[in-house]
Amino acid sequence: MKRVAALLLLASLSANALAFAPFVVSDIRIDGLSRIAAGTVYNYLPVDKGDRMTNAQAQRAIRALYDTKFFTDVELSREGDILVIKVVERPSISKLTLRGNKDIKSDDLKKGLKEIGLAEGETFDRLALDRVRQELIHQYYNRGKYNVSVLPHVTHLDRNRVAVEIEIREGKASKIKEINILGNHAFTDKEIRSDFESGTTNWTSWYSKNDQYSREKLSGDMEKLQSYYMNRGYADFGIDSTQVTIAPDKRSMYVAADVKEGEIYKVSAVKLLGDLVLPETTLQRMIIVAPGDTFNRAAVEASTDGIKALLANLGYAFAKVTSIPKLDKEKRTVDLTLYVEPGERVYVRRVVFQGNTRTEDGVLRREMRQLEGTFYSQAAIDRSKIRLQRLGYFKKVDIDKKMVPGTQDKVDVTVKVEEQSAGSMQFGVGYSQYSGMILSASVSQNNLFGSGDSFAVSGERSSYYTRFNLNYYNPYLTDNGIGIGYNATYSKTDYGNTDFANYETSTKAFSTYLGLPLGETDSMRLGLGVSSNRINTIPGFSPQLLVDYQNQLGHRTEHAWTGTLGWNHDTRNGYWAPTRGGLLAASVDVALPGSTAKYWKFFAEANHYWPVGLGFVLYLDGQVGYGQTYGKNGISDEQFDVLKKAYETANPGQVMADRRNDFPFWQNFYSGGVRDVRGFQDNTLGPRACAGPAGTMMNENGTCSGGYYSYAQPIGGAFKVLGTAQVFIPLPFLKDINTARVSWFMDVGNAYKDYKSFDASLLRASTGVSLQWQAPIGPLIISLAVPVRSQKEDRHYEERIQFTFGSQF
């Protein structure tokens, strides 16, 4: 076939080059160009003015112009001493359309087509179109779709252009009917195939697609099969053959693999050879294989990876560690040699950023732990990537290294980022089952003008509250990472419209705070704030406990100077949807002397993410909150005695307790809700009290025997505990976990009057599934929860379906 093509080309060249006597070219004229510049043709032409033109030179010139693939016809002629080149340009591709492809995205297909030479703006080559057709069919065959058809359509347009449409009829994927492993005796088929991606049809196949044949999946499964045996000592395991048979209807596949198990081998010795660079004892610490152990390929690979990582942290960015097992089949032992080739120790010449069109280079550079002019460190690179991911400005962060041309000890590090929106302007309507309809307007920017500063101003209005908030934070007030922030808030609430304790608040507050870095993962927060909070309780409509407290305090308006001290230890590997690492946090807020009510609040949280395989992620979280007063709050002993006597005279048989040192009820902790113990309405778990005249009592089912309200009202408490276990479930239709993910959860928690009132038997619990979605309108959480541990008094506050969206959180 190649010989025929060569003969055809030779015949074409001979026909297009007229025979003429040799001459010296005085000028060159090109006819027929419309889209391609003459200079482009001159660059490819192996003939120049002053050259002696012969028939052989003419053949070379025609061949060179044909090789450009710009022309469908090339003809050479002579006018005196002028060389005339007449060309017919190939048409350009004006439009490329893909139709019918579902299994492979159009963007992915177009990238592959461009590599072959088929893309909008490129020169059209019908031979390339045929190669594209064959390549697409091959790709679909690899995905088990053997009924696929690829039909290219070319439409000629004016000005020497064409429109190319590729019609794809994917057909249905062939299903795997049988997978047979032949020759296995030590393990059952079920054990061997436990990690296979390929499988026969089962109840999960509708979403896992495990029964759809794919050459790539089968190849990976064969590698898993080999690893399964070699990780269990079978060092001479082998797969003799793999056969895939397709039924005549091309809809059913049968897979068979013939294996040779071999014998179990023990490790007899482990040696290190090569240029060790470091003391052998240091490298030996990275080896997790020891003489006498059963051979385990995974452990060997982990050992080689550990040595490479150690060397990479010291600048040996391209170190190689090769494992060389020597089998003694008679003794069934493996003599293992790890050969170390560190290569040159390299340092970083330059760190380059790509893809950050909005974010300033300096914002990225200050997060880099790999510095220019220093030795390369893989640990510093990995840490830099995590810090960039946790900023929340980027969908994707990739860091590559490349040897500087002409050197052996310098690399350039390229940081490629894909930016995502770090701010929003919202005017809309949200909904929370706790707050009802929420009218909101907000402007927020976590990366203000690309500087890394955050700014937000927002206003919200619901059925029971009005809130305005202004916040600004500069994370790098100084070069060493000290940040400063300011926050101003105004809010007004009327809890009488909800299931909460009936009272009103009107709060104005301002605070400033410093963020102090203590290391790569640790930071402190110091804050000072001032607030004014007017609180109105209503006798008969507010729980008497709250009315008594405010009467004892002797003030309607509570003023507070608040000091804050916080600590964070954050090792999470992402911002929106981490998959490993965790957060330890603790904070103390103190109402300083001079405040109307003197108290302190402590809150601590510990959580962690663990990838547990197959895309599943386990998340555990624990929280505790505790508050207490200090010193003397409110009225004097003499004033309290007068108040107590008046109360007990007006309410015979009632005794007014000394509550002067109780924790302020407007600072109480609450439990329950979409982000707490799901399955119960927001902030309804914990202590409750009835509102009404003297003698109003709460029954065991949570109702009140008198008074204005039928149910006891949640009033919160000074102590709270919460525990959550959650498993994030990989679903094929939710591939981008930064956008959405689903989890199964178990929540346990409650709020108590104080620490002494804690009783584990009163903990509430629920279980269910939850969807978290970063929707265009704002974060959305939908939970389907079932209380599994509750009391009769909770029935009024139970909810099976809970959701909230918009700027509520």
Side-chain angles (χ1 to χ4, degrees):
M1 186 66 185
K2 291 182 179 179
R3 184 176 180 182
V4 172
L7 291 174
L8 290 175
L9 177 60
L10 180 61
S12 174
L13 296 179
S14 300
N16 291 340
L18 299 179
F20 42 67
F23 68 99
V24 176
V25 177
S26 63
D27 199 2
I28 300 174
R29 189 179 81 228
I30 304 174
D31 295 338
L33 295 178
S34 61
R35 183 170 45 83
I36 299 171
T40 302
V41 179
Y42 290 137
N43 287 335
Y44 288 100
L45 193 64
V47 179
D48 206 349
K49 293 179 182 180
D51 291 350
R52 180 178 175 81
M53 194 67 181
T54 64
N55 285 335
Q57 279 284 79
Q59 300 290 351
R60 283 195 294 271
I62 292 174
R63 185 179 293 107
L65 293 180
Y66 269 122
D67 288 344
T68 65
K69 302 188 186 310
F70 294 155
F71 310 109
T72 59
D73 190 38
V74 179
E75 184 176 313
L76 269 60
S77 62
R78 172 184 178 182
E79 291 184 5
D81 290 338
I82 298 174
L83 176 63
V84 179
I85 303 175
K86 181 184 287 187
V87 296
V88 178
E89 292 182 351
R90 291 183 186 273
S92 65
I93 301 173
S94 174
K95 188 176 182 180
L96 175 62
T97 306
L98 297 169
R99 182 160 55 89
N101 55 300
K102 297 178 182 178
D103 199 40
I104 306 177
K105 294 181 180 179
S106 294
D107 290 343
D108 295 336
L109 286 176
K110 285 186 176 181
K111 287 180 182 177
L113 298 183
K114 188 173 183 178
E115 293 176 359
I116 298 175
L118 197 69
E120 292 180 0
E122 297 289 336
T123 301
F124 175 67
D125 182 358
R126 189 168 291 277
L127 292 177
L129 188 63
D130 187 61
R131 290 198 301 273
V132 165
R133 178 178 175 275
Q134 297 299 327
E135 175 61 24
L136 291 179
I137 291 175
H138 178 70
Q139 288 190 37
Y140 277 99
Y141 277 8
N142 287 343
R143 293 170 181 258
K145 293 193 172 182
Y146 289 90
N147 290 312
V148 66
S149 66
V150 179
L151 305 173
H153 305 283
V154 180
T155 303
H156 291 274
L157 306 175
D158 58 351
R159 290 179 291 145
N160 199 26
R161 298 175 304 151
V162 295
V164 179
E165 180 185 68
I166 300 178
E167 181 184 358
I168 301 173
R169 298 173 184 173
E170 294 183 336
K172 293 186 178 181
S174 301
K175 299 294 182 69
I176 300 174
K177 296 301 181 181
E178 290 183 8
I179 298 179
N180 294 315
I181 309 296
L182 307 175
N184 57 305
H185 304 290
F187 305 103
T188 65
D189 285 9
K190 184 177 180 180
E191 290 173 324
I192 292 172
R193 292 170 48 190
S194 60
D195 290 335
F196 277 22
E197 289 187 54
S198 304
T200 54
T201 304
N202 56 40
W203 68 274
T204 65
S205 298
W206 66 274
Y207 74 87
S208 67
K209 310 298 182 185
N210 68 308
D211 59 345
Q212 291 187 7
Y213 172 76
S214 165
R215 186 175 298 175
E216 285 81 3
K217 284 200 303 184
L218 181 61
S219 177
D221 290 337
M222 292 300 101
E223 176 61 30
K224 289 178 180 178
L225 174 60
Q226 187 168 26
S227 296
Y228 186 90
Y229 272 91
M230 299 194 78
N231 292 343
R232 289 162 175 77
Y234 293 86
D236 58 349
F237 173 82
I239 300 176
D240 290 340
S241 64
T242 303
Q243 296 180 346
V244 179
T245 306
I246 185 170
D249 62 359
K250 298 183 178 180
R251 296 290 302 276
S252 300
M253 308 287 294
Y254 301 87
V255 178
D258 190 9
V259 303
K260 180 182 178 182
E261 289 184 330
E263 303 292 341
I264 295 178
Y265 284 72
K266 298 282 186 178
V267 177
S268 59
V270 181
K271 294 177 289 187
L272 281 167
L273 294 178
D275 186 2
L276 302 187
V277 180
L278 295 173
E280 185 172 349
T281 53
T282 302
L283 297 179
Q284 286 283 0
R285 297 193 192 104
M286 309 306 298
I287 300 175
I288 59 176
V289 181
D293 291 349
T294 299
F295 178 79
N296 185 319
R297 188 172 73 171
V300 174
E301 291 175 350
S303 301
T304 60
D305 290 342
I307 294 174
K308 286 191 290 185
L310 180 61
L311 294 175
N313 291 340
L314 299 175
Y316 298 94
F318 302 97
K320 296 180 181 179
V321 181
T322 306
S323 61
I324 307 172
K326 183 178 180 181
L327 275 60
D328 187 330
K329 294 189 176 182
E330 292 184 1
K331 298 181 180 179
R332 296 177 187 172
T333 60
V334 178
D335 187 343
L336 185 63
T337 299
L338 302 182
Y339 190 79
V340 180
E341 298 174 88
E344 293 289 335
R345 192 180 188 189
V346 301
Y347 65 90
V348 176
R349 182 188 70 165
R350 186 177 300 142
V351 176
V352 181
F353 302 99
Q354 296 179 358
N356 54 314
T357 57
R358 293 190 299 269
T359 308
E360 298 174 0
D361 277 11
V363 174
L364 282 75
R365 194 171 296 278
R366 68 195 186 191
E367 301 298 332
M368 293 296 296
R369 293 304 176 256
Q370 174 65 70
L371 304 179
E372 294 176 341
T374 63
F375 283 115
Y376 179 91
S377 170
Q378 189 61 50
I381 292 290
D382 294 341
R383 186 63 198 163
S384 300
K385 182 175 181 179
I386 289 175
R387 290 181 66 90
L388 290 170
Q389 288 173 332
R390 282 169 42 188
L391 288 176
Y393 310 157
F394 311 114
K395 285 184 180 179
K396 189 177 181 182
V397 178
D398 289 317
I399 302 181
D400 298 322
K401 62 180 182 291
K402 187 176 181 180
M403 189 71 73
V404 176
T407 70
Q408 293 185 349
D409 62 348
K410 298 178 185 177
V411 295
D412 286 338
V413 171
T414 302
V415 181
K416 299 178 182 179
V417 299
E418 182 181 347
E419 289 185 315
Q420 63 183 0
S421 176
S424 65
M425 179 181 293
Q426 292 184 352
F427 301 91
V429 178
Y431 183 83
S432 168
Q433 288 171 296
Y434 158 51
S435 307
M437 296 298 295
I438 306 168
L439 301 177
S440 65
S442 67
V443 177
S444 65
Q445 178 56 258
N446 291 334
N447 186 15
L448 186 64
F449 306 124
S451 66
D453 296 356
S454 62
F455 171 81
V457 57
S458 63
E460 293 179 296
R461 179 69 184 270
S462 76
S463 61
Y464 85 93
Y465 72 81
T466 301
R467 180 183 302 155
F468 298 97
N469 188 75
L470 177 67
N471 185 77
Y472 171 80
Y473 184 65
N474 176 3
Y476 278 84
L477 177 65
T478 64
D479 291 339
N480 59 356
I482 295 177
I484 189 169
Y486 307 94
N487 183 268
T489 303
Y490 169 76
S491 64
K492 187 175 182 180
T493 61
D494 180 3
Y495 291 106
N497 295 328
T498 70
D499 282 326
F500 283 134
N502 186 358
Y503 65 93
E504 299 175 355
T505 66
S506 179
T507 305
K508 296 181 285 291
F510 175 80
S511 63
T512 182
Y513 50 93
L514 291 175
L516 307 176
L518 302 178
E520 284 300 311
T521 58
D522 295 78
S523 63
M524 284 187 65
R525 178 182 171 120
L526 300 175
L528 182 64
V530 59
S531 64
S532 174
N533 186 6
R534 182 169 178 80
I535 304 165
N536 291 324
T537 57
I538 307 170
F541 293 91
S542 302
Q544 191 62 39
L545 293 173
L546 311 189
V547 176
D548 287 349
Y549 187 92
Q550 191 169 38
N551 288 337
Q552 295 163 27
L553 195 63
H555 299 276
R556 292 289 177 186
T557 301
E558 179 258 349
H559 299 282
W561 291 91
T562 307
T564 300
L565 174 63
W567 167 77
N568 270 21
H569 175 74
D570 193 348
T571 59
R572 293 172 297 181
N573 67 338
Y575 182 73
W576 291 112
T579 57
R580 63 176 68 247
L583 173 69
L584 297 176
S587 64
V588 177
D589 295 319
V590 181
L592 303 172
S595 302
T596 305
K598 296 184 284 294
Y599 62 88
W600 56 268
K601 291 178 70 174
F602 172 78
F603 180 80
E605 180 177 10
N607 60 51
H608 203 88
Y609 296 84
W610 290 274
V612 292
L614 301 179
F616 290 86
V617 177
L618 172 65
Y619 170 72
L620 298 180
D621 177 71
Q623 300 177 23
V624 61
Y626 180 55
Q628 189 173 319
T629 58
Y630 69 93
K632 288 191 175 181
N633 287 309
I635 60 179
S636 65
D637 291 342
E638 291 78 11
Q639 290 173 312
F640 175 74
D641 290 339
V642 173
L643 182 65
K644 180 178 181 180
K645 183 176 181 180
Y647 174 83
E648 292 176 353
T649 300
N651 300 277
Q654 300 281 332
V655 178
M656 183 173 177
D658 185 349
R659 300 186 183 277
R660 284 169 295 173
N661 290 321
D662 274 4
F663 191 66
F665 61 83
W666 60 88
Q667 292 290 340
N668 274 345
F669 295 99
Y670 289 87
S671 187
V674 178
R675 303 184 77 109
D676 202 272
V677 182
R678 285 159 279 197
F680 302 91
Q681 292 181 25
D682 286 17
N683 300 338
T684 57
L685 294 180
R688 302 187 182 104
C690 291
T696 302
M697 302 293 291
M698 184 176 71
N699 302 318
E700 65 175 7
N701 61 359
T703 60
C704 298
S705 59
Y708 183 76
Y709 297 100
S710 300
Y711 289 90
Q713 301 171 357
I715 60 175
F719 183 65
K720 172 189 174 177
V721 292
L722 172 67
T724 295
Q726 201 158 223
V727 177
F728 293 98
I729 304 169
L731 297 176
F733 49 85
L734 294 177
K735 294 182 179 179
D736 184 1
I737 64 172
N738 289 305
T739 301
R741 58 181 182 175
V742 171
S743 66
W744 168 84
F745 64 84
M746 171 70 77
D747 297 330
V748 179
N750 205 352
Y752 299 84
K753 176 181 177 294
D754 51 34
Y755 174 75
K756 295 179 181 178
S757 302
F758 173 76
D759 184 349
S761 65
L762 298 179
L763 288 170
R764 306 314 199 251
S766 64
T767 188
V769 294
S770 178
L771 167 66
Q772 302 171 22
W773 178 31
Q774 296 294 332
I777 59 172
L780 169 66
I781 297 178
I782 302 175
S783 297
L784 174 61
V786 178
V788 295
R789 187 174 185 181
S790 61
Q791 303 288 337
K792 290 182 179 180
E793 61 192 72
D794 301 325
R795 302 282 172 80
H796 178 64
Y797 299 104
E798 292 182 1
E799 287 181 334
R800 294 295 188 270
I801 299 178
Q802 296 176 302
F803 61 91
T804 181
F805 68 82
S807 56
Q808 176 68 12
F809 56 92

